[in-house]
Amino acid sequence: MCWNAQADAVAGGLVAVTGVACVVRARRVGRPERLPLAALPLVLGVHQLIEALVWLGTDGGLPDGLAGAARTAWAVVALPLLPVLVPAAVWCAAVGPRRRVLAALTLLGAAVAVPLAVAVGSHPVTAAVHGHTLGYAVGIPYPALLLAGYLLATVGSLLVSGDRLLRRLGLVTGAGAVVCALLWHLAFVSTWCALAALASLLLLHWAGHRPADEPGPVTDRAR
């Protein structure tokens, strides 16, 4: 996230609370298949809170052990977790033949996640301040190839979901990836994850959305 630990903490808290509201709305409308994706803002909000600790670590405000644990936890979510979680969650919520494409994107995300997990587990995660952003270094092999697969699995799954609201989220995060790559090359992953967290606020509407042709609960129809 840009600026400082306080900005990450505020944004992370806002997104995490919104994630809880998304889960509640998905349960309230009786759509359990939406729960994994509805929980995404909660995951991303916690992710931003972790990065607030990383900021404190770069300023010397945390013991070395805790600062290192925060950097590793941040990298685990950003690198191996998201390329699997996002397409799998979209697959759970999808219906019809698009599920086959989403299953393939989930497998792609898993294939990308394996070398990323190995890199996080094999190398120390470092973080350095670049202006008002954080740049992370993990020692990832073939970064351009893995980044392409990462974005295809995450952004691509939203774009092919068949849901208008999820496509909008995919367009926002895809455009954000381009902007972050152009403006903050050294801190691309950090800034894109922050933008994705804020963009995931769009899921609050999606979690409780009921298509116009879908009947309401039985109690409503009886009235």
Side-chain angles (χ1 to χ4, degrees):
M1 180 70 179
C2 301
W3 298 292
N4 52 42
Q6 291 75 20
D8 257 325
V10 171
L14 172 64
V15 175
V17 170
T18 302
V20 174
C22 286
V23 172
V24 170
R25 294 194 70 179
R27 289 179 61 86
R28 187 171 294 166
V29 298
R31 301 299 295 269
E33 71 277 7
R34 291 187 177 183
L35 289 175
L37 191 56
L40 180 62
L42 178 58
V43 174
L44 293 175
V46 172
H47 192 225
Q48 293 307 122
L49 293 174
I50 292 171
E51 190 166 70
L53 295 177
V54 176
W55 272 106
L56 293 177
T58 62
D59 294 337
L62 290 179
D64 291 343
L66 182 55
R71 293 193 299 270
T72 299
W74 186 93
V76 168
V77 176
L79 299 176
L81 179 60
L82 288 183
V84 178
L85 174 61
V86 174
V90 177
W91 175 84
C92 288
V95 295
R98 294 177 185 270
R99 286 172 61 86
R100 295 181 179 179
V101 178
L102 290 167
L105 290 175
T106 302
L107 291 175
L108 172 63
V112 169
V114 170
L116 293 178
V118 170
V120 173
S122 304
H123 302 89
V125 180
T126 62
V129 177
H130 297 285
H132 294 293
T133 64
L134 284 177
Y136 292 84
V138 185
I140 297 173
Y142 310 108
L145 180 61
L146 290 178
L147 176 60
Y150 184 110
L151 292 177
L152 181 59
T154 53
V155 177
S157 63
L158 294 168
L159 293 176
V160 304
S161 65
D163 185 290
R164 174 178 56 85
L165 296 175
L166 294 184
R167 284 199 300 269
R168 184 180 303 170
L169 177 58
L171 289 172
V172 171
T173 54
V178 174
V179 172
C180 290
L182 292 176
L183 297 182
W184 299 290
H185 175 70
L186 292 176
F188 169 77
V189 178
S190 175
T191 52
W192 183 78
C193 284
L195 183 142
L198 296 176
S200 69
L201 297 176
L202 294 171
L203 290 174
L204 182 61
H205 176 48
W206 170 84
H209 174 70
R210 191 187 303 278
D213 59 348
E214 179 180 306
V218 174
T219 54
D220 292 340
R221 295 200 301 270
R223 295 177 186 173

